[in-house]
Amino acid sequence: MSVLIKNGTIVNSSDLYRGDVYIESDKVTTIGTNLTMAADVTIDAAGRYVLPGGIDVHTHLDMPFGGSTSADDFATGTTAAAFGGTTSIVDFAIQYRGQTLQQALDTWRAKAEGKAVIDYGFHMIITELTDEVENEMDSMVEQGVTSFKLFMAYPGVFMLDDASIFRAMLRTGKNGGTICMHAENGGVIDVLVKKALAEGKTAPKYHALTRPARAEGEATHRAIALAEMADVPVYIVHLSAAEALAMVTEARDRGLPAYAETCPQYLFLSYDNYEEPGFEGAKYVMSPPLRPKETQDQLWRGLAGNDLQAISTDHCPFCMKEQKALGHGDFSKIPNGAPGIETRMALVYDGGVRQGRISLNRWVELTSASPAKIFGLFPRKGTIAPGSDADIVIFNPDRTQTLSVKTLHMNVDYNPYEGRVVQGVSETVLSRGKVVIENDKFVGRRGAGTFLKRDARS
Ligand code: URP
Ligand code: ZN
Ligand code: ZN
C-alpha cells in the first residue's frame, strides 16, 4: 500500500515548506517537490498543513477512579483522538497496592489490545513501593514502559511518601527512565477539604478553593529537589499554577533536566467556570484545578519560551449524569477529570498560533515532537521524515468548527468548551500509513493500534 500526499505545506517542529510526502506501507520514504511516483492513494493537500500526528502523553482511558470509571475506553477514546489529529497516546497503567507492576501492565495492555485505533504506550503509576516493586521497575523500562508517574496528592489512594518517591527516583535515575510527577501537596489539601466540608462548603467550586496554587508550587519545588538529589529527569504533569511554573523555570535556568506539560483546560478555562450556576462547576472538577484567568498568559509565555515543553490533555472524562453527579452535596466525591483528547490540536492552533502566542513550528513541537523526544518515541513519531512512521495529519487552517458535545466523538455527555468556535480542522489523518480519518469520517479499524515500546534514555 502506498500513499502520495501532494501540494501541502509540511510543518515539522523546525521546517516549513511546500512539498509532497510519499509513504510505502507504514513509513514515510520520500519527501520532495513534484513527486511523480505511482501510488495506490493520492491525496491533494493544497491549502492544508501536513503535520506529524499529534502525540498526547497524558490520557486516562478506561480508568477506575473516584468511585467510577472514565467514560472513554480505548476504542472510543482513541477514535476521538484520531478525529482531533492525535495519532499516538501514552496512557497510564495503575499498580494498585498489593499488585506487581507486571500485573498492572498486563491489565492495561489487555484494555487497549483489540480496541485502540491508533498507537498507544503506557506510563506506570506506582502506588506502593515494596522492595520487589522497586526491582521490577527495571523490567518495565526493558518492556518499553520508560516512565513512572508518582503522586504527591490523593492520600490513601495514589499518594506516595517522600521516602518512596526518592527511592523510585534513585532507581529510575539508574535504569534510564523518567519520573512523571503529580505535584500537589496532598496532606495540606486533605486538611482543607475536611475543614471546608465541616463548614458546610459542599459546592463544586470548593474543589478549587481547597487546592491552592501554593500547594502545587510547594510540591513542584519538592519534586524537583528530590529529583535533583536522585539525579533523574523529572516531568511535572498537568502544570496549572504560576507558582509551579516559577519552580520549573528556576530549575531549568540551573540546567536541571526538569520538564513540564500544561493542558488546554489551563490555557482556555479558568476559576470563573466553577462559578457557573447550580452543579455546572462539576464539569471542571479536575486536579490541579482551573486557576485565575491571569495565569493563562503566564502559561502561554512559558510555552513560548520553553519553560513548558508539552501540551497534553489529561483526558479523563466523566459524564455529568451518574458520574459527576456522585458529588452532589459533597464536592470531594465528584470524580476528578474532564474530556479533551479530541480538541487539543485545534484549540492550541486557534488560541496559540492564530493569536500570535506561538509559531506554527512551536505548535507542532509542543503537541508532537517534544513529547516524542521526552518520552522515547522520536524520530519514529513526532516528525515527518524518511523512515518515520507515517502518522500524518492534513489540517485545514481555514475551516472553522464549533466545539460541541453534539458533534464531537468523546463518550461523554458534555464538553467544557461547548459552543466555542475555533478555526482549524484535522480533515484527514493517517496512522502508520493507513487513512483513519478521511474528510471528517472515521475509516480506521478498531484494534489497528499497536503497543509502543518506548526507548529509555541512552
Ligand atoms: O483530575 C484529574 N487530573 N484526573 C486524572 C488523574 C490525574 O491526576 O491525572
Ligand atoms: Zn495527576
Ligand atoms: Zn492525569
Side-chain angles (χ1 to χ4, degrees):
M1 169 85 178
S2 57
V3 180
L4 180 60
I5 303 172
K6 285 193 70 67
N7 308 318
T9 299
I10 298 167
V11 191
N12 275 322
S13 62
S14 55
D15 322 294
L16 181 68
Y17 54 90
R18 284 285 299 278
D20 303 341
V21 182
Y22 188 64
I23 297 161
E24 286 174 275
S25 180
D26 56 349
K27 301 277 186 210
V28 172
T29 55
T30 312
I31 301 173
T33 43
N34 304 318
L35 296 184
T36 54
M37 48 273 262
D40 298 317
V41 177
T42 300
I43 300 171
D44 182 13
R48 315 286 195 268
Y49 294 130
V50 179
L51 323 167
I55 301 178
D56 187 348
V57 294
H58 192 148
T59 66
H60 300 279
L61 301 178
D62 199 0
M63 177 174 100
F65 189 41
S68 210
T69 297
S70 60
D72 269 313
D73 68 8
F74 279 82
T76 62
T78 57
T79 302
F83 269 109
T86 288
T87 53
S88 300
I89 60 167
V90 185
D91 203 90
F92 293 85
I94 306 177
Q95 173 242 8
Y96 295 105
R97 290 179 186 168
Q99 278 191 333
T100 64
L101 300 183
Q102 192 62 52
Q103 283 169 330
L105 179 58
D106 293 347
T107 303
W108 256 265
R109 284 195 65 165
K111 284 173 189 264
E113 254 154 45
K115 283 193 170 175
V117 308
I118 56 167
D119 291 347
Y120 55 90
F122 293 106
H123 312 278
M124 179 59 65
I125 292 176
I126 300 178
T127 68
E128 182 182 44
L129 191 76
T130 60
D131 291 346
E132 292 73 29
V133 169
E134 190 180 328
N135 288 331
E136 235 196 321
M137 290 174 75
D138 300 353
S139 149
M140 290 297 115
V141 173
E142 281 155 21
Q143 293 177 65
V145 178
T146 55
S147 40
F148 301 95
K149 184 178 179 186
L150 312 178
F151 283 81
M152 294 174 141
Y154 303 121
V157 185
F158 291 141
M159 190 169 108
L160 284 184
D161 59 79
D162 284 355
S164 299
I165 288 173
F166 189 58
R167 279 171 54 214
M169 284 179 164
L170 283 170
R171 191 79 183 205
T172 308
K174 295 220 160 38
N175 66 24
T178 295
I179 294 291
C180 298
M181 189 64 82
H182 181 127
E184 289 186 292
N185 187 316
V188 165
I189 289 165
D190 220 29
V191 171
L192 293 175
V193 168
K194 289 197 176 102
K195 187 167 170 296
L197 290 174
E199 290 166 1
K201 296 171 175 165
T202 59
K205 71 176 179 185
Y206 291 104
H207 170 78
L209 295 172
T210 55
R211 301 185 93 92
R214 196 75 190 87
E216 189 183 339
E218 183 281 325
T220 303
H221 173 80
R222 185 160 33 105
I224 292 170
L226 294 173
E228 183 178 5
M229 289 186 275
D231 196 17
V232 67
V234 63
Y235 177 91
I236 307 297
V237 296
H238 46 45
L239 186 147
S240 72
E243 286 84 342
L245 177 57
M247 298 304 143
V248 176
T249 303
E250 190 269 340
R252 291 181 62 79
D253 287 348
R254 288 196 292 121
L256 293 177
Y259 307 95
E261 63 177 20
T262 191
C263 311
Q265 51 270 33
Y266 303 121
L267 298 168
F268 297 104
L269 303 171
S270 73
Y271 173 79
D272 299 348
N273 291 97
Y274 295 114
E275 297 285 357
E276 288 176 16
F279 192 62
E280 292 294 287
K283 291 175 177 171
Y284 315 99
V285 166
M286 62 186 78
S287 298
L290 301 176
R291 301 299 185 188
K293 207 164 171 36
E294 309 81 79
T295 308
Q296 295 172 357
D297 280 341
Q298 292 164 294
L299 295 177
W300 280 113
R301 277 199 292 278
L303 289 165
N306 204 33
D307 289 324
L308 296 166
Q309 293 73 41
I311 302 176
S312 62
T313 63
D314 195 9
H315 176 78
C316 190
F318 295 102
C319 292
M320 283 294 278
K321 222 171 115 194
E322 285 166 11
Q323 296 191 298
K324 293 280 186 183
L326 294 169
H328 268 295
D330 179 349
F331 69 88
S332 72
K333 295 200 166 59
I334 301 171
N336 283 205
I341 204 166
E342 189 173 357
T343 44
R344 177 183 68 136
M345 300 294 286
L347 275 169
V348 179
Y349 174 76
D350 185 67
V353 181
R354 287 194 70 245
Q355 296 304 313
R357 288 169 161 142
I358 54 171
S359 67
L360 264 178
N361 296 113
R362 186 69 179 147
W363 172 50
V364 169
E365 188 162 39
L366 288 164
T367 54
S368 182
S370 169
K373 286 177 187 168
I374 295 170
F375 289 109
L377 290 169
F378 194 85
R380 182 166 36 140
K381 310 281 190 190
T383 186
I384 299 177
S388 64
D389 281 359
D391 290 356
I392 293 184
V393 175
I394 299 172
F395 188 86
N396 186 338
D398 297 323
R399 269 178 64 194
T400 56
Q401 54 174 318
T402 303
L403 304 182
S404 171
V405 68
K406 296 194 198 90
T407 48
L408 292 164
H409 303 85
M410 297 173 283
N411 187 34
V412 60
D413 62 359
Y414 76 99
N415 190 272
Y417 308 97
E418 186 66 38
R420 187 181 182 109
V421 178
V422 294
Q423 196 162 321
V425 176
S426 297
E427 283 178 341
T428 299
V429 178
L430 286 81
S431 167
R432 275 183 293 102
K434 297 254 172 3
V435 179
V436 290
I437 303 294
E438 187 173 24
N439 294 320
D440 309 327
K441 300 244 163 13
F442 180 70
V443 294
R445 185 174 59 79
R446 193 182 153 110
T450 58
F451 171 69
L452 290 169
K453 187 170 184 294
R454 294 181 292 118
D455 299 333
R457 280 177 290 120
S458 47

PDB file of all heavy atoms in Angstrom, residues 36-61:
ATOM      1  N   THR A  36       6.406  12.244  -8.551  1.00  0.00           N
ATOM      2  CA  THR A  36       5.537  11.708  -9.612  1.00  0.00           C
ATOM      3  C   THR A  36       5.324  10.199  -9.501  1.00  0.00           C
ATOM      4  O   THR A  36       4.744   9.586 -10.389  1.00  0.00           O
ATOM      5  CB  THR A  36       6.165  11.996 -11.000  1.00  0.00           C
ATOM      6  OG1 THR A  36       7.493  11.493 -10.995  1.00  0.00           O
ATOM      7  CG2 THR A  36       6.141  13.481 -11.327  1.00  0.00           C
ATOM      8  N   MET A  37       5.816   9.592  -8.421  1.00  0.00           N
ATOM      9  CA  MET A  37       5.674   8.131  -8.362  1.00  0.00           C
ATOM     10  C   MET A  37       4.194   7.707  -8.267  1.00  0.00           C
ATOM     11  O   MET A  37       3.360   8.427  -7.743  1.00  0.00           O
ATOM     12  CB  MET A  37       6.490   7.527  -7.215  1.00  0.00           C
ATOM     13  CG  MET A  37       6.354   8.180  -5.885  1.00  0.00           C
ATOM     14  SD  MET A  37       7.529   9.528  -5.731  1.00  0.00           S
ATOM     15  CE  MET A  37       8.842   8.800  -4.824  1.00  0.00           C
ATOM     16  N   ALA A  38       3.949   6.517  -8.781  1.00  0.00           N
ATOM     17  CA  ALA A  38       2.580   5.979  -8.743  1.00  0.00           C
ATOM     18  C   ALA A  38       2.260   5.590  -7.300  1.00  0.00           C
ATOM     19  O   ALA A  38       3.128   5.118  -6.574  1.00  0.00           O
ATOM     20  CB  ALA A  38       2.500   4.751  -9.629  1.00  0.00           C
ATOM     21  N   ALA A  39       1.019   5.814  -6.904  1.00  0.00           N
ATOM     22  CA  ALA A  39       0.620   5.462  -5.535  1.00  0.00           C
ATOM     23  C   ALA A  39      -0.779   4.861  -5.557  1.00  0.00           C
ATOM     24  O   ALA A  39      -1.583   5.168  -6.443  1.00  0.00           O
ATOM     25  CB  ALA A  39       0.646   6.714  -4.664  1.00  0.00           C
ATOM     26  N   ASP A  40      -1.044   4.003  -4.597  1.00  0.00           N
ATOM     27  CA  ASP A  40      -2.395   3.426  -4.505  1.00  0.00           C
ATOM     28  C   ASP A  40      -3.420   4.501  -4.167  1.00  0.00           C
ATOM     29  O   ASP A  40      -4.558   4.454  -4.610  1.00  0.00           O
ATOM     30  CB  ASP A  40      -2.420   2.350  -3.411  1.00  0.00           C
ATOM     31  CG  ASP A  40      -1.475   1.214  -3.730  1.00  0.00           C
ATOM     32  OD1 ASP A  40      -1.445   0.789  -4.899  1.00  0.00           O
ATOM     33  OD2 ASP A  40      -0.723   0.792  -2.824  1.00  0.00           O
ATOM     34  N   VAL A  41      -2.988   5.460  -3.336  1.00  0.00           N
ATOM     35  CA  VAL A  41      -3.884   6.550  -2.930  1.00  0.00           C
ATOM     36  C   VAL A  41      -3.130   7.860  -3.090  1.00  0.00           C
ATOM     37  O   VAL A  41      -1.991   7.967  -2.631  1.00  0.00           O
ATOM     38  CB  VAL A  41      -4.306   6.390  -1.446  1.00  0.00           C
ATOM     39  CG1 VAL A  41      -5.169   7.564  -0.990  1.00  0.00           C
ATOM     40  CG2 VAL A  41      -5.002   5.073  -1.209  1.00  0.00           C
ATOM     41  N   THR A  42      -3.748   8.839  -3.737  1.00  0.00           N
ATOM     42  CA  THR A  42      -3.138  10.171  -3.827  1.00  0.00           C
ATOM     43  C   THR A  42      -4.075  11.152  -3.127  1.00  0.00           C
ATOM     44  O   THR A  42      -5.297  11.135  -3.338  1.00  0.00           O
ATOM     45  CB  THR A  42      -2.925  10.584  -5.298  1.00  0.00           C
ATOM     46  OG1 THR A  42      -2.057   9.623  -5.899  1.00  0.00           O
ATOM     47  CG2 THR A  42      -2.288  11.962  -5.409  1.00  0.00           C
ATOM     48  N   ILE A  43      -3.492  11.962  -2.256  1.00  0.00           N
ATOM     49  CA  ILE A  43      -4.285  12.945  -1.502  1.00  0.00           C
ATOM     50  C   ILE A  43      -3.791  14.331  -1.879  1.00  0.00           C
ATOM     51  O   ILE A  43      -2.595  14.610  -1.780  1.00  0.00           O
ATOM     52  CB  ILE A  43      -4.128  12.725   0.024  1.00  0.00           C
ATOM     53  CG1 ILE A  43      -4.594  11.319   0.414  1.00  0.00           C
ATOM     54  CG2 ILE A  43      -4.878  13.796   0.810  1.00  0.00           C
ATOM     55  CD1 ILE A  43      -4.284  10.924   1.861  1.00  0.00           C
ATOM     56  N   ASP A  44      -4.704  15.192  -2.308  1.00  0.00           N
ATOM     57  CA  ASP A  44      -4.318  16.565  -2.624  1.00  0.00           C
ATOM     58  C   ASP A  44      -4.438  17.402  -1.341  1.00  0.00           C
ATOM     59  O   ASP A  44      -5.532  17.558  -0.806  1.00  0.00           O
ATOM     60  CB  ASP A  44      -5.233  17.128  -3.714  1.00  0.00           C
ATOM     61  CG  ASP A  44      -4.812  18.545  -4.107  1.00  0.00           C
ATOM     62  OD1 ASP A  44      -3.694  18.972  -3.718  1.00  0.00           O
ATOM     63  OD2 ASP A  44      -5.609  19.234  -4.769  1.00  0.00           O
ATOM     64  N   ALA A  45      -3.299  17.914  -0.869  1.00  0.00           N
ATOM     65  CA  ALA A  45      -3.295  18.685   0.389  1.00  0.00           C
ATOM     66  C   ALA A  45      -3.075  20.177   0.123  1.00  0.00           C
ATOM     67  O   ALA A  45      -2.623  20.904   1.017  1.00  0.00           O
ATOM     68  CB  ALA A  45      -2.227  18.138   1.319  1.00  0.00           C
ATOM     69  N   ALA A  46      -3.424  20.636  -1.073  1.00  0.00           N
ATOM     70  CA  ALA A  46      -3.246  22.062  -1.397  1.00  0.00           C
ATOM     71  C   ALA A  46      -4.014  22.913  -0.384  1.00  0.00           C
ATOM     72  O   ALA A  46      -5.167  22.609  -0.041  1.00  0.00           O
ATOM     73  CB  ALA A  46      -3.740  22.339  -2.808  1.00  0.00           C
ATOM     74  N   GLY A  47      -3.376  23.949   0.112  1.00  0.00           N
ATOM     75  CA  GLY A  47      -4.027  24.840   1.072  1.00  0.00           C
ATOM     76  C   GLY A  47      -4.090  24.276   2.483  1.00  0.00           C
ATOM     77  O   GLY A  47      -4.727  24.864   3.367  1.00  0.00           O
ATOM     78  N   ARG A  48      -3.463  23.128   2.690  1.00  0.00           N
ATOM     79  CA  ARG A  48      -3.523  22.466   4.010  1.00  0.00           C
ATOM     80  C   ARG A  48      -2.115  22.372   4.607  1.00  0.00           C
ATOM     81  O   ARG A  48      -1.132  22.326   3.883  1.00  0.00           O
ATOM     82  CB  ARG A  48      -4.053  21.030   3.896  1.00  0.00           C
ATOM     83  CG  ARG A  48      -5.270  20.841   3.022  1.00  0.00           C
ATOM     84  CD  ARG A  48      -6.531  21.369   3.699  1.00  0.00           C
ATOM     85  NE  ARG A  48      -7.729  20.901   3.040  1.00  0.00           N
ATOM     86  CZ  ARG A  48      -8.366  21.541   2.065  1.00  0.00           C
ATOM     87  NH1 ARG A  48      -7.887  22.685   1.604  1.00  0.00           N
ATOM     88  NH2 ARG A  48      -9.477  21.056   1.558  1.00  0.00           N
ATOM     89  N   TYR A  49      -2.054  22.277   5.919  1.00  0.00           N
ATOM     90  CA  TYR A  49      -0.798  21.928   6.579  1.00  0.00           C
ATOM     91  C   TYR A  49      -0.703  20.406   6.669  1.00  0.00           C
ATOM     92  O   TYR A  49      -1.714  19.727   6.935  1.00  0.00           O
ATOM     93  CB  TYR A  49      -0.739  22.517   7.988  1.00  0.00           C
ATOM     94  CG  TYR A  49      -0.695  24.025   8.009  1.00  0.00           C
ATOM     95  CD1 TYR A  49      -1.567  24.757   8.825  1.00  0.00           C
ATOM     96  CD2 TYR A  49       0.227  24.725   7.236  1.00  0.00           C
ATOM     97  CE1 TYR A  49      -1.530  26.146   8.850  1.00  0.00           C
ATOM     98  CE2 TYR A  49       0.273  26.118   7.256  1.00  0.00           C
ATOM     99  CZ  TYR A  49      -0.611  26.816   8.057  1.00  0.00           C
ATOM    100  OH  TYR A  49      -0.571  28.179   8.073  1.00  0.00           O
ATOM    101  N   VAL A  50       0.495  19.909   6.477  1.00  0.00           N
ATOM    102  CA  VAL A  50       0.752  18.463   6.608  1.00  0.00           C
ATOM    103  C   VAL A  50       1.674  18.302   7.815  1.00  0.00           C
ATOM    104  O   VAL A  50       2.834  18.731   7.798  1.00  0.00           O
ATOM    105  CB  VAL A  50       1.391  17.912   5.311  1.00  0.00           C
ATOM    106  CG1 VAL A  50       1.690  16.428   5.452  1.00  0.00           C
ATOM    107  CG2 VAL A  50       0.460  18.158   4.121  1.00  0.00           C
ATOM    108  N   LEU A  51       1.132  17.742   8.893  1.00  0.00           N
ATOM    109  CA  LEU A  51       1.824  17.716  10.199  1.00  0.00           C
ATOM    110  C   LEU A  51       2.121  16.292  10.629  1.00  0.00           C
ATOM    111  O   LEU A  51       1.363  15.385  10.291  1.00  0.00           O
ATOM    112  CB  LEU A  51       0.911  18.267  11.307  1.00  0.00           C
ATOM    113  CG  LEU A  51      -0.019  19.413  11.053  1.00  0.00           C
ATOM    114  CD1 LEU A  51      -0.997  19.518  12.211  1.00  0.00           C
ATOM    115  CD2 LEU A  51       0.808  20.678  10.935  1.00  0.00           C
ATOM    116  N   PRO A  52       3.159  16.109  11.456  1.00  0.00           N
ATOM    117  CA  PRO A  52       3.267  14.810  12.130  1.00  0.00           C
ATOM    118  C   PRO A  52       2.078  14.661  13.082  1.00  0.00           C
ATOM    119  O   PRO A  52       1.644  15.641  13.700  1.00  0.00           O
ATOM    120  CB  PRO A  52       4.584  14.916  12.911  1.00  0.00           C
ATOM    121  CG  PRO A  52       4.890  16.366  13.015  1.00  0.00           C
ATOM    122  CD  PRO A  52       4.206  17.061  11.865  1.00  0.00           C
ATOM    123  N   GLY A  53       1.552  13.449  13.181  1.00  0.00           N
ATOM    124  CA  GLY A  53       0.379  13.236  14.037  1.00  0.00           C
ATOM    125  C   GLY A  53       0.632  13.709  15.459  1.00  0.00           C
ATOM    126  O   GLY A  53       1.735  13.605  15.984  1.00  0.00           O
ATOM    127  N   GLY A  54      -0.422  14.219  16.078  1.00  0.00           N
ATOM    128  CA  GLY A  54      -0.322  14.680  17.454  1.00  0.00           C
ATOM    129  C   GLY A  54       0.010  13.529  18.397  1.00  0.00           C
ATOM    130  O   GLY A  54      -0.384  12.379  18.167  1.00  0.00           O
ATOM    131  N   ILE A  55       0.744  13.839  19.439  1.00  0.00           N
ATOM    132  CA  ILE A  55       1.097  12.839  20.461  1.00  0.00           C
ATOM    133  C   ILE A  55       0.612  13.373  21.801  1.00  0.00           C
ATOM    134  O   ILE A  55       1.058  14.439  22.245  1.00  0.00           O
ATOM    135  CB  ILE A  55       2.619  12.588  20.470  1.00  0.00           C
ATOM    136  CG1 ILE A  55       3.054  12.083  19.083  1.00  0.00           C
ATOM    137  CG2 ILE A  55       2.994  11.590  21.569  1.00  0.00           C
ATOM    138  CD1 ILE A  55       4.532  11.852  18.935  1.00  0.00           C
ATOM    139  N   ASP A  56      -0.309  12.648  22.394  1.00  0.00           N
ATOM    140  CA  ASP A  56      -0.887  13.070  23.670  1.00  0.00           C
ATOM    141  C   ASP A  56      -0.337  12.131  24.743  1.00  0.00           C
ATOM    142  O   ASP A  56      -0.736  10.961  24.826  1.00  0.00           O
ATOM    143  CB  ASP A  56      -2.413  12.980  23.581  1.00  0.00           C
ATOM    144  CG  ASP A  56      -3.106  13.557  24.804  1.00  0.00           C
ATOM    145  OD1 ASP A  56      -2.421  13.826  25.807  1.00  0.00           O
ATOM    146  OD2 ASP A  56      -4.340  13.726  24.750  1.00  0.00           O
ATOM    147  N   VAL A  57       0.583  12.645  25.550  1.00  0.00           N
ATOM    148  CA  VAL A  57       1.274  11.768  26.511  1.00  0.00           C
ATOM    149  C   VAL A  57       0.602  11.759  27.890  1.00  0.00           C
ATOM    150  O   VAL A  57       1.207  11.334  28.867  1.00  0.00           O
ATOM    151  CB  VAL A  57       2.774  12.145  26.657  1.00  0.00           C
ATOM    152  CG1 VAL A  57       3.521  11.882  25.371  1.00  0.00           C
ATOM    153  CG2 VAL A  57       2.953  13.608  27.097  1.00  0.00           C
ATOM    154  N   HIS A  58      -0.665  12.174  27.926  1.00  0.00           N
ATOM    155  CA  HIS A  58      -1.356  12.145  29.228  1.00  0.00           C
ATOM    156  C   HIS A  58      -2.849  11.894  29.002  1.00  0.00           C
ATOM    157  O   HIS A  58      -3.636  12.828  28.838  1.00  0.00           O
ATOM    158  CB  HIS A  58      -1.129  13.466  29.971  1.00  0.00           C
ATOM    159  CG  HIS A  58      -1.556  13.423  31.403  1.00  0.00           C
ATOM    160  ND1 HIS A  58      -0.930  14.144  32.403  1.00  0.00           N
ATOM    161  CD2 HIS A  58      -2.558  12.761  32.031  1.00  0.00           C
ATOM    162  CE1 HIS A  58      -1.510  13.920  33.553  1.00  0.00           C
ATOM    163  NE2 HIS A  58      -2.527  13.090  33.358  1.00  0.00           N
ATOM    164  N   THR A  59      -3.223  10.616  28.978  1.00  0.00           N
ATOM    165  CA  THR A  59      -4.645  10.267  28.850  1.00  0.00           C
ATOM    166  C   THR A  59      -4.991   9.205  29.898  1.00  0.00           C
ATOM    167  O   THR A  59      -4.114   8.469  30.371  1.00  0.00           O
ATOM    168  CB  THR A  59      -4.964   9.697  27.448  1.00  0.00           C
ATOM    169  OG1 THR A  59      -4.290   8.438  27.277  1.00  0.00           O
ATOM    170  CG2 THR A  59      -4.531  10.655  26.338  1.00  0.00           C
ATOM    171  N   HIS A  60      -6.268   9.140  30.225  1.00  0.00           N
ATOM    172  CA  HIS A  60      -6.753   8.117  31.163  1.00  0.00           C
ATOM    173  C   HIS A  60      -7.981   7.462  30.539  1.00  0.00           C
ATOM    174  O   HIS A  60      -9.110   7.932  30.734  1.00  0.00           O
ATOM    175  CB  HIS A  60      -7.154   8.738  32.498  1.00  0.00           C
ATOM    176  CG  HIS A  60      -6.050   9.462  33.212  1.00  0.00           C
ATOM    177  ND1 HIS A  60      -5.105   8.819  33.971  1.00  0.00           N
ATOM    178  CD2 HIS A  60      -5.745  10.785  33.281  1.00  0.00           C
ATOM    179  CE1 HIS A  60      -4.255   9.713  34.485  1.00  0.00           C
ATOM    180  NE2 HIS A  60      -4.628  10.914  34.070  1.00  0.00           N
ATOM    181  N   LEU A  61      -7.767   6.397  29.779  1.00  0.00           N
ATOM    182  CA  LEU A  61      -8.889   5.690  29.160  1.00  0.00           C
ATOM    183  C   LEU A  61      -9.226   4.477  30.017  1.00  0.00           C
ATOM    184  O   LEU A  61      -8.320   3.805  30.527  1.00  0.00           O
ATOM    185  CB  LEU A  61      -8.515   5.258  27.729  1.00  0.00           C
ATOM    186  CG  LEU A  61      -8.122   6.416  26.798  1.00  0.00           C
ATOM    187  CD1 LEU A  61      -7.721   5.893  25.423  1.00  0.00           C
ATOM    188  CD2 LEU A  61      -9.251   7.436  26.684  1.00  0.00           C
TER     189      LEU A  61
END
